Amino acid sequence: MSTVRRRLTEAWGFFQLLLTHRMGVLGLSVFALFAIIALFAPFLHTVDPGKSGVVENILIPPNSQFWLGTDDLARDIWSQVIYGSRISLLIGFLATILTIFVGSLVGLISGFYGGKIEEVLMRITDFFMMLPQLPLMIVLAAVLGPSIWNIVFVVSIVSWPFAARIVRSQVLSLKERAFVEASRCIGASDSFLIFSEIMPNVVPLMFAEAVLIVTEAVYAEAVLSFLGLGDPTTVSWGMMLHFAFESGAMVKAPWWVVPPIVSIVVLILGFTFLGTAVSDVLKPGYKEKRGL
Amino acid sequence: MPLKGFAGFATRKALAAVTTIFAIICLNFLIFRLLPGDPIRMMFRDPRVSAEQLQLMTEKFGLDKPLWGQFLAYLQALFQGDLGISFWQKRAVLEVIADRIPQTLLLVVTALTIAIILGILLGAISGWKSGTRLDTFILTASLSMYSIPAFSLGIILMLIFAFYLSIFPLGGISTPASGFTGLGYWRDVLWHMFLPTISIVFWYIGEYVLLTRSSMLDTLDQDYITTARAKGLKEFAILRNHALRNALLPVVTATGINLAFAVAGIIEVETVFSWPGIGRLVYDAVMKRDYPLLQGTFLVFAVAVVLANLVVDLIYGFIDPRIKVGKAE
Amino acid sequence: MALLEVEHLKIYYFTRQGAVKAVDDISFTLDKDKTLGLIGESGCGKTTMVFALMRFVAPPGRIVAGKIIFEGRDILTISDKEMRRLRGPGIAMVFQSAQNALNPVMTVGKQIVEEILEHESVTKEEAWERARKQLELVGISGDRIKSYPHEFSGGMKQRVMIAIATACNPRLLILDEPVTGLDVIVQRQLLTLLSDLREELHLPIIFITHDLAVVAETCGEVAVMYAGKIVEQASTVSLYKEPAHPYSQALMKSYPSIKGKKGKLRSIPGAPPGLTNPPVGCRFHPRCPYVMDICRQEEPIFKQRDGRLVACHLIK
């Protein structure tokens, strides 16, 4: 119980520290904004986002009824953007969880056990790091077929090596520290060492990495959908751009492409700021530098 | 034996590259065989594939054989330069890709050179002047650029400069049926190249600014910078001979990983501007569900990245005396 | 005329918790041809002190008061350009941890040559020839002039540092813990080299260390620093024979002596004070065995006694 409380206190302290960083505040605000939009999408949209409208409403510019105008099937852009935030955040979080899980597992095992296991795992990690991410994602998405779950899977495939590397180097440095040595001397088991001594110290770094994986995932959804590998039945920012680009109506109807682009950029920028803030805050000496 | 350290290093790196390329070939094979949807089924999805073509494919790839036999057949074909037939173009995949290589190289080499040089310069200035307004501006601008996906950047630039202002063409590599020759043709190409290049440069520059800046900050904290100051050297000499030269080492190392990342920008920007390169080919292959072509482009990109990495590693080995000279003691 | 006069120097680091008084009202003088040792525990402000002599104090640190008069000029008021010209031929410095003090991607020869070319109008060939001589002066073969720092051992790197520092015949040499972190035999060789160089070049030296043995061997005069202040300045011989300040006494007792009587080693009880809010009165009073009421209220001033300066209320 007391450990849980201690961790919660630490997390709260970390959060407060984040609020002292300008980029942290910006990033958290962006995240909060999109989270609210995604949660309350059913109350915020004005027209069913997937529903085609009547012919007279095709490609009309923003007006009082269609706040951001309509697309070539007379669907409301505003409602699509609102619902698109759900897809982006959903993919972002699922991909992050999967990536962090796989990455930490590989990083922990290779860092902790070392030797042959480490060598093999790190070879695989390096191999995946060297592959061009987008072509790999495209090929996998093309073979697996269009679905949100496949995008989640594909993002994780290209992102886990980075998480694994970070976790491994952290584990390597922790392993040498006195407290781990001490636990080992009094006969602690490997699993105890990993989960009670090493994991808690790896979590903050994983958090910094996780924030960046969200940006990767949002980007991946957008670009894969844009390139025609998205699920045509879901409403997402990438799909909006894909339809706009494919129909050739993009140049005639900037209101069709600008809202999804702005959403993608703001969300990615927000998380990038947040990631920068998190890694700044985690740097030793941050408090001292800020005089806190 | 001053070259011993470097020769050993180069041999190790070359061997690693060969191993990686082999692993890529295996992966490429596996993705298209093992994942749900075997090649035959995938090809059936395309109504334009005739039964005859299917039969040809089945035989060529030995799809009736066990997996091991298929792999050997695949390897054999690969070594003969046979990457299969593109359904869409009805030509050998290798030929289709080879036609696109010069255009992609032209765009990539130009854009990345500009981006890397400018990025390093801005990053070095930002790190050297860290904490100033100029630094904050460069940092914020870079983070923002870096966060905008290349294709969105391309779309926005295209809307503004090609559609509304009509300064640049909407896409392609040259004006169709213009009859330009010689210098006129190249001027036309440059004019078409402008927006795609700018899109890649804007998108890619941030990576280098951030990288160089943080490397610069690390370097400036080093004791040898204080030593250089204590020698009474001019600030610019310290910047150029001591700070920058050391700060560039990690930047060169990171260039390897960044090249894999750059491929994304190429695919996105070529797609937006209909630039007839391999990137656009990827998009077309996806849209036409042309799997052999897609497989071919993946192989080409992956192998190109590995080879470019090898070159980067060798350059690194050459500029870092700790590798070039090796340990004497 | 004294070569160097430091007058009431105060250097504070401004943090949000308040000003850290790393150097608080320090004065001393150094004559030509003399060697001054500066000793004290880590964190007592020694390094900040000598960094100020090179004008290397950077924010959040700031020199808030005082003068540093070198050859008659206050180096705190001269222009950046003049200061830059002074570094090298005027005041040169060898830093702690030579491991990272040399540029890893430049040959050691070039690192000496660039300094010579910066300050003197000689040809490149002459500069390289001088660099070779410098290396030989510190006991490294001239053939290694094209070697990179990673090809040298720790002790040899420190020799290269000394070669760099003395390349432009400085008029004052500062050595900041030059042998710390090296193994004992290498320390010995380096100390021998330094004394030889001092004899040969007639170099005034400021030697910073926390190692009493090193001071005893190399310096004619010693200043003992405690918590940002000099508490005692005396000739090395008299300080060793009869330390006057309680802190100096404690310091002597905490260090083993090879010659003389065997005594019990004693550590100084307590810890050095934080420099944000140093103790009122004498800064050593919380740890001082002879503490009196006045020590808690009034800061002791320097008093002359038998040719030494001591800041302690015990001295009448």
Side-chain angles (χ1 to χ4, degrees):
Chain A
M1 196 57 213
S2 71
T3 22
V4 173
R5 172 168 281 176
R6 205 179 71 222
R7 300 265 176 258
L8 280 177
T9 321
E10 276 172 18
W12 178 243
F14 177 73
F15 177 72
Q16 282 181 318
L17 219 50
L18 216 47
L19 291 181
T20 64
H21 196 293
R22 202 185 301 165
M23 284 190 179
V25 175
L26 263 172
L28 284 172
S29 317
V30 167
F31 172 50
L33 175 73
F34 280 101
I36 289 169
I37 291 177
L39 277 176
F40 297 101
F43 306 100
L44 292 170
H45 81 279
T46 47
V47 187
D48 185 348
K51 210 176 90 185
S52 305
V54 287
V55 183
E56 299 88 80
N57 287 343
I58 284 175
L59 285 180
I60 52 172
N63 58 47
S64 59
Q65 191 197 351
F66 303 105
W67 295 353
L68 295 174
T70 62
D71 66 13
D72 65 341
L73 294 174
R75 290 174 299 189
D76 181 39
I77 306 281
W78 162 253
S79 307
Q80 291 187 59
V81 168
I82 294 296
Y83 271 90
S85 66
R86 287 188 152 190
I87 300 297
S88 287
L89 286 181
L90 181 71
I91 290 178
F93 285 107
L94 292 179
T96 304
I97 291 168
L98 189 57
T99 305
I100 291 292
F101 178 74
V102 177
S104 322
L105 202 66
V106 173
L108 276 173
I109 291 174
S110 57
F112 191 78
Y113 291 106
K116 275 269 177 292
I117 302 176
E118 180 182 28
E119 199 171 315
V120 171
L121 286 176
M122 282 302 114
R123 280 281 162 81
I124 297 173
T125 309
D126 286 347
F127 172 66
F128 273 92
M129 271 173 115
M130 202 185 243
L131 290 176
Q133 295 91 0
L134 186 61
L136 181 60
M137 290 199 287
I138 290 172
V139 161
L140 285 172
V143 170
L144 292 170
S147 92
I148 296 179
W149 312 111
N150 288 341
I151 291 184
V152 168
F153 171 73
V154 158
V155 171
S156 309
I157 285 279
V158 300
S159 313
W160 72 264
F162 297 89
R165 274 261 164 220
I166 291 169
V167 171
R168 173 177 162 271
S169 64
Q170 179 73 0
V171 172
L172 283 181
S173 76
L174 282 169
K175 217 166 66 168
E176 304 306 320
R177 299 255 190 94
F179 66 93
V180 176
E181 290 276 295
S183 305
R184 204 195 283 276
C185 286
I186 57 170
S189 68
D190 283 359
S191 63
F192 175 83
L193 282 177
I194 290 180
F195 290 105
S196 306
E197 304 287 352
I198 290 180
M199 276 291 263
N201 291 291
V202 174
V203 165
L205 268 180
M206 281 199 276
F207 185 60
E209 180 63 14
V211 175
L212 295 178
I213 296 166
V214 175
T215 66
E216 276 296 309
V218 171
Y219 158 75
E221 185 282 320
V223 72
L224 290 176
S225 303
F226 173 72
L227 293 174
L229 290 160
D231 179 356
T233 60
T234 25
V235 176
S236 80
W237 298 335
M239 282 319 290
M240 293 174 74
L241 291 173
H242 173 70
F243 289 132
F245 183 71
E246 267 298 283
S247 71
M250 179 176 83
V251 287
K252 278 182 288 174
W255 59 85
W256 191 1
V257 287
V258 172
I261 287 182
V262 170
S263 308
I264 291 166
V265 170
V266 171
L267 188 54
I268 292 181
L269 199 55
F271 274 92
T272 307
F273 281 166
L274 191 58
T276 310
V278 169
S279 50
D280 274 358
V281 168
L282 288 176
K283 268 183 206 144
Y286 173 78
K287 271 191 180 178
E288 289 68 28
K289 220 168 156 185
R290 292 264 158 162
L292 294 166
Chain B
M1 295 181 291
L3 253 169
K4 199 191 171 201
F6 182 70
F9 169 79
T11 318
R12 275 200 311 281
K13 288 290 172 188
L15 277 176
V18 171
T19 320
T20 312
I21 290 176
F22 184 72
I24 288 170
I25 292 172
C26 297
L27 179 77
N28 200 20
F29 172 79
L30 286 177
I31 289 177
F32 285 87
R33 304 296 152 109
L34 280 191
L35 291 172
D38 61 88
I40 307 252
R41 256 198 21 231
M42 282 195 295
M43 288 163 200
F44 267 125
R45 272 196 216 146
D46 189 333
R48 284 161 299 182
V49 179
S50 67
E52 193 186 316
Q53 273 175 320
L54 259 179
Q55 184 55 37
L56 202 74
M57 281 286 141
T58 313
E59 273 168 29
K60 170 159 272 162
F61 289 122
L63 292 182
D64 37 359
K65 292 185 206 149
L67 201 66
W68 181 242
Q70 289 182 34
F71 183 58
L72 287 182
Y74 169 77
L75 275 185
Q76 202 183 356
L78 202 62
F79 278 110
Q80 288 162 357
D82 183 359
L83 293 177
I85 307 286
S86 158
F87 303 143
W88 168 51
Q89 299 235 340
K90 314 259 186 277
R91 287 197 294 153
V93 167
L94 193 68
E95 219 176 286
V96 177
I97 293 175
D99 281 353
R100 301 292 189 101
I101 289 176
Q103 292 91 307
T104 293
L105 278 181
L106 175 66
L107 182 61
V108 169
V109 173
T110 315
L112 294 195
T113 310
I114 297 174
I116 291 175
I117 292 175
L118 271 182
I120 286 174
L121 275 178
L122 288 174
I125 293 171
S126 197
W128 185 252
K129 299 271 170 204
S130 83
T132 62
R133 272 202 189 156
L134 182 68
D135 171 44
T136 315
F137 174 74
I138 295 177
L139 186 63
T140 318
S142 308
L143 270 179
S144 312
M145 293 294 196
Y146 179 65
S147 301
I148 306 176
F151 73 98
S152 329
L153 208 55
I155 290 176
I156 290 169
L157 290 177
M158 181 170 155
L159 280 180
I160 299 172
F161 296 98
F163 189 71
Y164 286 103
L165 301 176
S166 304
I167 306 173
F168 294 104
L170 282 164
I173 191 171
S174 56
T175 314
S178 61
F180 286 131
T181 50
L183 211 62
Y185 173 77
W186 282 106
R187 271 186 51 191
D188 190 43
V189 168
L190 274 182
W191 183 54
H192 279 79
M193 235 177 99
F194 191 83
L195 285 182
T197 307
I198 290 292
S199 305
I200 296 179
V201 168
F202 273 11
W203 164 77
Y204 203 58
I205 199 170
E207 178 77 24
Y208 274 84
V209 173
L210 298 174
L211 203 60
T212 313
R213 181 181 180 273
S214 76
S215 171
M216 193 77 183
L217 288 178
D218 285 345
T219 309
L220 289 176
D221 268 349
Q222 299 293 318
D223 293 334
Y224 52 76
I225 298 296
T226 317
T227 306
R229 286 224 163 86
K231 288 197 272 191
L233 301 182
K234 293 193 184 75
E235 286 294 292
F236 186 71
I238 300 173
L239 173 66
R240 196 189 50 197
N241 298 336
H242 295 273
L244 201 53
R245 274 184 63 183
N246 281 287
L248 282 183
L249 293 178
V251 175
V252 173
T253 318
T255 297
I257 296 280
N258 283 343
L259 283 172
F261 170 67
V263 173
I266 298 161
I267 295 177
E268 292 169 37
V269 170
E270 283 192 1
T271 300
V272 170
F273 291 98
S274 312
W275 184 263
I278 310 177
R280 174 72 191 202
L281 205 55
V282 172
Y283 175 70
D284 290 330
V286 168
M287 294 310 284
K288 308 274 198 278
R289 295 288 182 258
D290 189 342
Y291 290 95
L293 185 57
L294 192 58
Q295 196 176 10
T297 56
F298 175 69
L299 194 65
V300 167
F301 273 130
V303 170
V305 167
V306 173
L307 293 179
N309 255 298
L310 180 62
V311 173
V312 168
D313 279 340
L314 295 184
I315 291 175
Y316 184 86
F318 205 73
I319 59 175
D320 188 341
R322 280 161 291 193
I323 292 171
K324 193 173 91 181
V325 182
K327 260 210 177 314
E329 286 163 90
Chain C
M1 188 185 66
L3 176 72
L4 176 76
E5 288 171 81
V6 174
E7 291 175 10
H8 304 290
L9 189 66
K10 291 185 181 183
I11 306 167
Y12 295 174
Y13 287 94
F14 292 92
T15 66
R16 291 217 182 156
Q17 291 102 321
V20 177
K21 295 159 186 152
V23 170
D24 201 9
D25 201 3
I26 279 188
S27 303
F28 68 89
T29 56
L30 179 73
D31 291 328
K32 279 198 177 112
D33 250 0
K34 287 280 166 57
T35 309
L36 176 71
L38 209 55
I39 57 169
E41 289 161 275
S42 332
C44 71
K46 310 178 293 244
T47 297
T48 304
M49 169 69 236
V50 289
F51 264 56
L53 300 181
M54 296 291 273
R55 222 164 87 182
F56 274 163
V57 179
R62 206 171 65 198
I63 298 172
V64 290
K67 283 181 185 159
I68 299 174
I69 296 166
F70 180 70
E71 297 176 328
R73 280 194 306 171
D74 184 355
I75 62 166
L76 298 181
T77 58
I78 61 178
S79 71
D80 283 349
K81 198 173 172 186
E82 282 175 293
M83 188 62 223
R84 189 173 63 66
R85 287 191 177 149
L86 203 56
R87 292 178 190 141
I91 307 174
M93 189 162 174
V94 173
F95 300 96
Q96 202 173 342
S97 79
Q99 297 310 311
N100 304 314
L102 289 168
N103 184 344
V105 299
M106 200 185 261
T107 60
V108 293
K110 183 90 206 324
Q111 297 191 47
I112 302 173
V113 166
E114 63 167 358
E115 184 185 9
I116 297 171
L117 287 177
E118 180 69 47
H119 296 289
E120 293 169 34
S121 42
V122 291
T123 64
K124 276 193 175 168
E125 290 71 33
E126 285 170 316
W128 278 97
E129 195 42 47
R130 283 259 301 274
R132 178 182 284 271
K133 288 220 179 84
Q134 279 302 118
L135 282 185
E136 280 160 5
L137 181 71
V138 297
I140 296 174
S141 157
D143 299 339
R144 311 256 347 233
I145 198 156
K146 294 273 185 192
S147 296
Y148 287 95
H150 72 272
E151 298 172 77
F152 290 108
S153 66
M156 284 172 86
K157 278 186 204 164
Q158 197 60 298
R159 282 170 190 265
V160 174
M161 284 305 295
I162 295 167
I164 290 176
T166 51
C168 289
N169 304 311
R171 305 189 289 277
L172 170 64
L173 179 64
I174 300 168
L175 304 166
D176 183 5
E177 306 255 11
V179 295
T180 308
L182 298 169
D183 66 61
V184 188
I185 296 167
V186 177
Q187 285 197 2
R188 164 112 332 270
Q189 291 167 344
L190 274 174
L191 289 174
T192 314
L193 170 71
L194 284 169
S195 349
D196 290 352
L197 279 180
R198 198 191 58 210
E199 303 283 304
E200 209 170 311
L201 309 170
H202 301 288
L203 260 178
I205 292 177
I206 295 180
F207 203 121
I208 303 162
T209 180
H210 60 266
D211 189 333
L212 290 168
V214 169
V215 170
E217 204 156 331
T218 44
C219 307
E221 190 132 329
V222 190
V224 181
M225 267 186 89
Y226 183 77
K229 283 186 169 295
I230 291 180
V231 292
E232 180 167 1
Q233 190 175 350
S235 76
T236 311
V237 179
S238 58
L239 185 87
Y240 273 75
K241 265 195 189 144
E242 194 192 352
H245 195 279
Y247 177 66
S248 314
Q249 292 167 5
L251 210 56
M252 297 297 155
K253 279 186 197 141
S254 67
Y255 213 79
S257 158
I258 298 174
K259 293 174 201 157
K261 274 193 294 181
K262 269 188 214 165
K264 211 173 179 179
L265 288 186
R266 281 202 204 107
S267 62
I268 307 172
L275 294 177
T276 315
N277 280 309
V280 183
C282 172
R283 293 192 176 174
F284 189 57
H285 84 251
R287 300 169 81 187
C288 183
Y290 314 111
V291 61
M292 304 176 292
D293 277 345
I294 187 169
C295 303
R296 298 195 180 90
Q297 288 144 19
E298 227 174 273
E299 217 175 297
I301 51 158
F302 265 128
K303 279 165 224 145
Q304 194 106 25
R305 202 182 83 168
D306 316 331
R308 62 171 76 184
L309 288 165
V310 188
C312 178
H313 291 299
L314 282 173
I315 312 294
K316 291 285 177 267

